[in-house]
């Protein structure tokens, strides 16, 4: 009788351990899925943020390039000298130098012969 009850308790303990292991495995799978989802969401968010930042940085540089092309052809009127300057210091310094160059070209253009223009 005692051996039978010990065997029953051993079997019951084994079932309990197996159930606990299965529960731990399920919790691990769920936690891993949540972790992968969070990592994917952060990666997508950072990618979108970097694209937005790159576009904000490139926009004034592209505009400056277009205006330089117009100035190269002496079409100074096509340059918007009243637009706001960039928030980035390096780009803002380039824009300020470019605007000063345009002001000087407008002034010097009055003294140039028409054949040069």
């Amino acid at each position: 009788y005692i051996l039978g009850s010990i065997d029953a308790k051993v079997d019951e303990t084994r079932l309990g351990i197996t159930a606990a292991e299965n529960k731990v495995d399920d919790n691990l799978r769920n936690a891993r899925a949540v972790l992968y989802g969070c990592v994917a969401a952060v990666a997508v968010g950072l990618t979108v943020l970097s694209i937005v930042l790159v576009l904000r940085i490139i926009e004034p540089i592209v505009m400056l390039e277009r205006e330089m092309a117009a100035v190269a052809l002496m079409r100074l009127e096509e340059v918007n000298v009243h637009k706001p300057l960039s928030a980035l210091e390096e780009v803002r310094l380039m824009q300020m130098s470019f605007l000063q160059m345009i002001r000087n070209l407008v002034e010097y253009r009055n003294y140039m012969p028409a054949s040069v223009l």
Side-chain angles (χ1 to χ4, degrees):
Y1 172 77
I2 294 177
L3 288 177
S5 76
I6 291 176
D7 285 340
K9 287 291 184 186
V10 168
D11 289 341
E12 184 181 324
T13 304
R14 281 191 184 132
L15 286 175
I17 291 172
T18 303
E21 286 176 346
N22 288 339
K23 186 176 179 180
V24 167
D25 286 343
D26 288 343
N27 287 341
L28 254 169
R29 273 192 287 279
N30 290 339
R32 198 172 288 136
V34 169
L35 176 66
Y36 291 157
C38 289
V39 167
V42 167
V44 168
L46 288 175
T47 301
V48 168
L49 179 65
S50 65
I51 289 171
V52 168
L53 288 176
V54 164
L55 291 176
R56 287 196 55 151
I57 291 169
I58 289 179
E59 181 183 3
I61 295 173
V62 169
M63 184 67 95
L64 190 60
E65 185 268 332
R66 286 188 197 129
E67 291 174 345
M68 286 181 175
V71 169
L73 299 173
M74 289 302 288
R75 295 190 298 221
L76 304 177
E77 311 77 33
E78 294 180 16
V79 178
N80 181 6
V81 293
H82 302 294
K83 71 178 178 300
L85 297 176
S86 173
L88 297 170
E89 183 179 1
E90 294 84 359
V91 177
R92 184 175 58 249
L93 291 173
M94 286 192 316
Q95 288 173 324
M96 289 171 30
S97 297
F98 183 66
L99 292 173
Q100 182 62 44
M101 182 180 71
I102 291 172
R103 283 191 287 275
N104 292 340
L105 283 173
V106 167
E107 186 176 326
Y108 298 144
R109 183 169 64 175
N110 296 331
Y111 303 106
M112 290 183 187
S115 61
V116 174
L117 301 174

